[in-house]
Amino acid sequence: MGQDDKKDEKEIEVPDTLPILPVRDIVVFPYMILPLFVGREKSISAIDYSLNTNRMIMLLTQKDLNIENPETDDLFSVGTVGLIMRMLKLPDGRVKILVQGLAKARCLNITEKDGIYVASIEKIEERKPEVITLEIEALIRNVKEQIDKTLSLGKTILPDIMIVIENLDDPGRLGDLVASNIGLKTDQAQRILEIDDPVERLKKVSEVLNREIELLIVQQKIQTEARGEIDKTQREYFLREQLKAIQKELGDIDEKMEEIREFKKKILEAKMPEKVLTEAEKQLKRLEKMHPDSAEAATVRTYLDWLVELPWSKSTKDNLNIKVAKKVLNDDHYDLEKIKERILEYLSVRKLNPKMKGPILCFIGPPGVGKTSLGKSIARSLGREFVRISLGGVRDEAEIRGHRRTYVGALPGRIIQGIKQAGMNNPVFMLDEVDKIGTDFRGDPSSALLEVLDPEQNNSFVDHYLGVPFDLTHVMFITTGNITDTIPSPLRDRMELIHLSGYTSEEKVGIAGNYLIPKQFSEHGIGKHIMKISGPALLMLIAQYTREAGVRNLERSIATLCRKVAKQIAEGKKKKFVISNKNLHKFMGPPRFLPEEEMKKDEVGVATGLAWTEAGGDIIYVEAITMKGKGSLTITGQLGDIMKESAQAALSYVRSRAKELDISDDLFSKKDVHIHVPAGAIPKDGPSAGITLTTAIASALTGKPIHKNIAMTGEVTLRGTVLAIGGLKEKSLAAKRMGIKKIIVPKRNEKDLEDIPKYIKKDMEFIFVETMDQVLGIALINDTAKGKKDKAENGKQ
């Protein structure tokens, strides 16, 4: 802002017409010097026009600052003639100008010329008082004192402006200068600009200053009162105090007392045991004495929340209708008869003795056989809540027992958290991956589980956070794992192990037909009238595209078929898609797993063995051959230590029976024996290949062929005793798939025939043996002309 006392306002020559520059949100007064940023094309053109003529421009304020392209009616008629002192073009296309207000003017007529607004203007002459009377002098002095008062109350005005104000005695210029520097609203400033009489204009400014002073005094009073009650930096405390003051004025009850009453009510409703009730009341009394905003109060409040929200006395009523439970289990799971029977036994005992302690079942089996989903079915059949947590990779004991309340961010363990989540004290609680718990410096979680999973101890399980006992005897704990070897023996001892060995191909067909295919059809929006998967195609999908004990990959493969069909439907092909074993490769590509070839003839030194794998049963061919050497034994085929030891024992047994087998003693010192199990890329191990290895070695050394249609499984001792094996059901199915009708099985496994489906037993002959002599008598073909010829050829090698 500048002021030139030597230059009179009458000396300023203002043209009759000037280009118009609309300005937003500001009113320009005479003698003001201010920068303006101009971005509108018309306004930039007006500035260019002004610079090319007399550098003057008419500054009119917009009535509505939100209008982007104002018309003549959108502008006030009275404004200020400005002189463009400097102009700078900015990189973004805008223009920055520095203008000085020269004189007030009124627009008489506005026309549009060459894309800009041009106004015919009339300069407003300032009617200055001829004599500065006492009244005017008092008014000037009053305005100056008002400005000083606003400064003392916190108003900000630049020091340079204050110096000019102190030295001004012209009422008109003083009014304009003050009005332009006290932050008036646009409408208010425009009204002051339009007052022609300088004294009246200064009076109006004085009125505005009076109102501003009153506002500043009230504002300062509010701030002073607030500072007197609380520290200004504690905003949260300030808001809370204000809320309390409002509640007090309205007659509302105290917040802290309301919280205490609420806790008392919840404690009564929770029906806690006596020990827990005593602790809860003790902590509530502590909370009453604490300041509500203290950190310790927050800790106690959280602890009480946990106590009142735990289901101390809430339980679900068991559905003890055995028929309904049986139907639920059959609807959810195919086969698994032993497990279903065990669950129904539990329900039956529960019906006779409602106070029975919950059993701890442990489902052990490979991935994908339905361990977790079986837990959900148990909960559904019982009508209980279901909670599941995974223990895989848990290394911190506090995950089970909880953290002590002295730690920052302490919480109960996952057992208590699960109980709270269930909302009942008798849920079906599944602890997944119990065989994958870790141990490190933070403790041993498996040891912490000993108390949880012991029906004799878990009636008073104490979580470190709660510090009071919680009765877990009503909970039905179910654990799952893939293997038992990594489960510590004390923990394993507390559980009832139930093995899920995996599904046979026939069982997988049933599961796919009843559950997987309808589920995937529904998820992919495919109806039965659109797509069909034939039985042979399903068997091929199971045997040649998936190799697993469970059904996860089978479900993924069925989903793949659904996606392929969905794509063709989306492309406009309208027909029924029938997936058969002949066109399956078009959807799935070439088979990933091919079965062993069936033997074409009886051969010397080739025995058919049966093996158990994670994918179910399989057959293996054990080959033995003799060659010139010094009696050494070579073993190939990526065999594990157990099978290598079995091969050594087999050779020793054959040597010990050389006389009975008609093998010359010097043959062992002149011949090397090489044992090979094909599919060398696949690791093979286990104790059930002993009789197969022995038979292959005996055949190679005697030259007697082995029956191609006989498979065998069993371990053998050095004295020739055949020992029991496992997985007879899966091995039998593998033999059936290869068209083998006879299986040599240890006598001790005769009891396992109960687990084998009737459709397998019907078409297959099980030969039970106790000694290796019996095995050789059955498997080896007696010396015929062919056998003697093979023996002679074998001896010449």
Side-chain angles (χ1 to χ4, degrees):
M1 178 67 64
Q3 180 82 18
D4 190 353
D5 293 333
K6 295 180 181 178
K7 187 174 183 181
D8 198 317
E9 192 177 350
K10 291 179 183 178
E11 295 176 6
I12 299 172
E13 293 182 5
V14 177
D16 294 335
T17 59
L18 282 176
I20 294 174
L21 177 62
V23 292
R24 306 188 206 198
D25 203 25
I26 191 170
V27 174
V28 181
F29 284 84
Y31 308 107
M32 279 180 70
I33 296 176
L34 76 161
L36 294 175
F37 291 88
V38 181
R40 293 182 283 210
E41 290 185 10
K42 277 188 176 182
S43 300
I44 294 173
S45 300
I47 290 169
D48 291 337
Y49 181 90
S50 173
L51 291 172
N52 290 328
T53 53
N54 49 21
R55 302 179 72 88
M56 291 188 189
I57 196 162
M58 185 67 185
L59 301 170
L60 293 180
T61 302
Q62 290 181 204
K63 295 176 182 177
D64 185 354
L65 62 91
N66 295 314
I67 297 175
E68 187 60 33
N69 295 305
E71 301 292 335
T72 55
D73 294 334
D74 299 322
L75 304 173
F76 289 107
S77 59
V78 176
T80 302
V81 176
L83 178 67
I84 300 175
M85 302 172 70
R86 289 195 187 90
M87 189 269 283
L88 177 67
K89 290 187 177 180
L90 300 176
D92 59 359
R94 293 185 302 162
V95 171
K96 179 182 178 182
I97 60 172
L98 188 68
V99 296
Q100 178 185 10
L102 297 179
K104 286 191 290 183
R106 182 179 286 104
C107 293
L108 303 175
N109 185 29
I110 299 175
T111 58
E112 189 170 355
K113 178 182 177 184
D114 297 330
I116 62 171
Y117 288 124
V118 177
S120 300
I121 63 171
E122 174 190 11
K123 182 181 174 184
I124 298 174
E125 299 292 341
E126 188 84 2
R127 299 197 301 271
K128 292 186 179 180
E130 296 179 1
V131 180
I132 302 297
T133 62
L134 286 175
E135 184 184 354
I136 295 172
E137 190 174 348
L139 180 62
I140 292 171
R141 187 179 296 179
N142 185 53
V143 168
K144 291 180 180 179
E145 287 175 357
Q146 286 174 319
I147 289 292
D148 290 335
K149 181 72 172 176
T150 59
L151 280 175
S152 67
L153 291 171
K155 193 76 173 177
T156 303
I157 299 177
L158 293 174
D160 294 346
I161 303 296
M162 287 302 301
I163 293 171
V164 176
I165 289 173
E166 288 297 325
N167 294 318
L168 267 179
D169 291 325
D170 186 335
R173 291 189 179 180
L174 179 61
D176 291 344
L177 185 60
V178 172
S180 62
N181 283 281
I182 57 174
L184 297 178
K185 292 181 180 179
T186 307
D187 292 341
Q188 203 172 15
Q190 182 68 30
R191 284 196 295 272
I192 291 173
L193 179 71
E194 291 176 1
I195 298 173
D196 294 341
D197 189 335
V199 176
E200 289 300 319
R201 190 159 68 248
L202 190 59
K203 284 181 180 179
K204 184 66 177 176
V205 169
S206 180
E207 289 176 11
V208 171
L209 282 173
N210 269 333
R211 188 173 183 279
E212 185 69 15
I213 289 168
E214 288 176 3
L215 285 172
L216 289 170
I217 289 170
V218 173
Q219 183 180 349
Q220 193 178 56
K221 182 181 178 182
I222 292 170
Q223 290 175 349
T224 303
E225 287 175 355
R227 263 192 236 104
E229 291 180 12
I230 56 170
D231 190 271
K232 61 181 179 180
T233 59
Q234 296 177 333
R235 177 169 174 75
E236 185 179 352
Y237 184 78
F238 168 56
L239 293 173
R240 195 173 284 112
E241 288 295 316
Q242 279 188 325
L243 182 60
K244 285 182 180 179
I246 292 168
Q247 287 179 333
K248 188 176 180 180
E249 290 295 324
L250 294 174
D252 288 354
I253 51 178
D254 184 67
E255 182 183 347
K256 180 180 176 182
M257 293 308 298
E258 173 64 18
E259 183 184 42
I260 299 298
R261 289 194 193 96
E262 190 68 26
F263 270 128
K264 284 181 179 177
K265 180 183 175 185
K266 288 181 178 179
I267 288 170
L268 288 174
E269 290 174 350
K271 297 179 182 177
M272 303 172 178
E274 189 176 344
K275 286 184 180 179
V276 184
L277 181 62
T278 303
E279 180 65 21
E281 290 174 345
K282 176 185 172 184
Q283 295 297 329
L284 189 60
K285 286 178 182 177
R286 287 184 63 212
L287 183 63
E288 280 186 87
K289 297 174 183 177
M290 292 178 187
H291 191 281
D293 301 322
S294 66
E296 192 176 1
T299 303
V300 174
R301 199 177 290 118
T302 306
Y303 175 70
L304 285 170
D305 279 334
W306 274 98
L307 283 184
V308 298
E309 289 177 15
L310 280 173
W312 300 98
S313 56
K314 292 181 183 178
S315 58
T316 309
K317 189 176 180 181
D318 281 345
N319 171 27
L320 298 176
N321 189 324
I322 307 301
K323 290 182 179 179
V324 173
K326 188 174 183 178
K327 183 179 183 302
V328 169
L329 291 171
N330 288 331
D331 288 346
D332 288 355
H333 288 273
Y334 183 85
D335 198 29
L336 302 177
E337 295 303 328
K338 278 193 172 182
I339 296 167
K340 292 176 183 175
E341 189 67 24
R342 176 65 186 86
I343 295 162
L344 295 175
E345 287 170 5
Y346 167 77
L347 287 175
S348 303
V349 175
R350 184 89 182 174
K351 194 170 186 177
L352 298 176
N353 179 18
K355 295 182 180 179
M356 184 195 81
K357 295 176 180 177
I360 313 297
L361 302 180
C362 179
F363 296 146
I364 297 293
V369 296
K371 299 185 295 295
T372 304
S373 59
L374 195 58
K376 293 180 182 177
S377 297
I378 292 170
R380 200 159 79 88
S381 65
L382 287 168
R384 294 190 184 187
E385 296 294 324
F386 178 76
V387 182
R388 174 192 167 274
I389 65 171
S390 178
L391 299 175
V394 172
R395 295 177 177 274
D396 191 352
E397 183 190 342
E399 289 280 336
I400 307 298
R401 288 189 178 277
H403 299 82
R404 288 177 174 81
R405 294 200 301 276
T406 51
Y407 297 149
V408 176
L411 279 175
R414 297 174 73 177
I415 302 296
I416 295 297
Q417 287 183 37
I419 298 292
K420 180 188 173 187
Q421 177 190 335
M424 298 290 168
N425 64 8
N426 64 339
V428 173
F429 203 122
M430 175 159 277
L431 303 170
D432 258 341
E433 313 295 353
V434 75
D435 58 331
K436 297 178 180 64
I437 301 176
T439 303
D440 64 7
F441 65 92
R442 289 169 290 189
D444 182 3
S446 62
S447 298
L449 278 175
L450 293 178
E451 182 186 359
V452 175
L453 299 181
D454 192 338
E456 300 299 326
Q457 298 180 31
N458 63 10
N459 61 339
S460 57
F461 172 70
V462 178
D463 185 276
H464 287 160
Y465 180 84
L466 296 181
V468 290
F470 190 94
D471 187 0
L472 297 176
T473 53
H474 305 295
V475 180
M476 184 175 184
F477 284 103
I478 298 174
T479 61
T480 70
N482 299 129
I483 54 176
T484 57
D485 299 347
T486 55
I487 304 175
S489 55
L491 183 58
R492 192 166 61 240
D493 181 61
R494 280 163 169 77
M495 301 183 291
E496 180 182 338
L497 300 181
I498 298 176
H499 291 272
L500 285 77
S501 57
Y503 300 111
T504 64
S505 296
E506 286 73 11
E507 287 169 345
K508 287 180 182 179
V509 168
I511 293 169
N514 292 333
Y515 305 103
L516 305 184
I517 292 176
K519 177 185 173 185
Q520 291 303 320
F521 277 12
S522 173
E523 288 185 0
H524 290 83
I526 296 173
K528 291 181 181 179
H529 63 284
I530 297 174
M531 179 180 175
K532 180 184 176 183
I533 303 174
S534 68
L538 203 53
L539 275 171
M540 183 180 286
L541 197 65
I542 292 164
Q544 299 185 17
Y545 290 89
T546 63
R547 180 164 285 184
E548 57 176 347
V551 291
R552 281 183 185 158
N553 286 325
L554 175 59
E555 186 171 7
R556 293 186 188 109
S557 299
I558 294 169
T560 301
L561 289 173
C562 293
R563 289 197 302 273
K564 301 285 186 186
V565 170
K567 180 174 178 288
Q568 294 193 35
I569 294 170
E571 289 173 352
K573 296 180 182 178
K574 295 183 179 179
K575 63 173 185 175
K576 183 168 183 177
F577 295 86
V578 178
I579 313 296
S580 66
N581 55 344
K582 293 180 180 178
N583 66 1
L584 182 63
H585 65 279
K586 293 181 181 179
F587 295 89
M588 297 296 297
R592 299 190 187 100
F593 309 104
L594 293 174
E596 291 281 359
E597 267 191 47
E598 187 179 347
M599 287 180 64
K600 303 286 192 298
K601 60 180 181 177
D602 303 328
E603 294 189 35
V604 174
V606 182
T608 305
L610 296 173
W612 182 91
T613 65
E614 283 193 357
D618 203 355
I619 67 164
I620 57 172
Y621 293 117
V622 177
E623 299 177 349
I625 194 171
T626 60
M627 64 200 83
K628 289 181 181 180
K630 298 178 181 180
S632 62
L633 176 65
T634 305
I635 304 168
T636 55
Q638 200 172 344
L639 306 184
D641 292 337
I642 296 173
M643 284 190 73
K644 287 178 182 178
E645 290 170 3
S646 294
Q648 292 282 359
L651 181 59
S652 298
Y653 169 77
V654 173
R655 290 184 68 174
S656 71
R657 305 289 290 173
K659 185 176 180 181
E660 289 80 355
L661 294 171
D662 195 19
I663 303 172
S664 60
D665 292 335
D666 61 345
L667 188 64
F668 293 102
S669 60
K670 294 178 181 179
K671 297 286 184 180
D672 288 346
V673 179
H674 185 168
I675 297 174
H676 178 66
V677 182
I682 302 171
K684 293 167 281 292
D685 202 5
S688 62
I691 65 173
T692 314
L693 291 163
T694 307
T695 304
I697 294 171
S699 173
L701 290 170
T702 60
K704 294 179 181 180
I706 303 170
H707 286 286
K708 67 175 183 179
N709 61 347
I710 291 181
M712 59 193 76
T713 179
E715 184 56 293
V716 66
T717 66
L718 284 173
R719 297 183 180 277
T721 303
V722 179
L723 304 178
I725 49 88
L728 183 59
K729 177 183 174 183
E730 290 80 4
K731 293 174 181 179
S732 304
L733 283 164
K736 180 176 171 61
R737 284 197 297 269
M738 293 303 296
I740 295 171
K741 301 292 185 182
K742 293 182 181 180
I743 303 177
I744 298 174
V745 182
K747 178 74 172 174
R748 295 184 182 181
N749 286 104
E750 193 169 0
K751 63 183 185 331
D752 296 331
L753 282 182
E754 293 181 9
D755 296 336
I756 298 175
K758 291 180 181 178
Y759 67 87
I760 297 177
K761 290 190 284 189
K762 181 181 177 183
D763 299 331
M764 192 164 290
E765 180 184 354
F766 293 89
I767 304 169
F768 296 99
V769 296
E770 294 179 318
T771 64
M772 193 64 218
D773 289 342
Q774 291 175 283
V775 176
L776 296 177
I778 297 166
L780 297 180
I781 298 173
N782 291 329
D783 280 333
T784 60
K786 178 181 180 299
K788 290 177 180 179
K789 182 183 177 183
D790 291 340
K791 180 178 180 181
E793 289 177 357
N794 197 26
K796 290 177 183 178
Q797 292 176 359

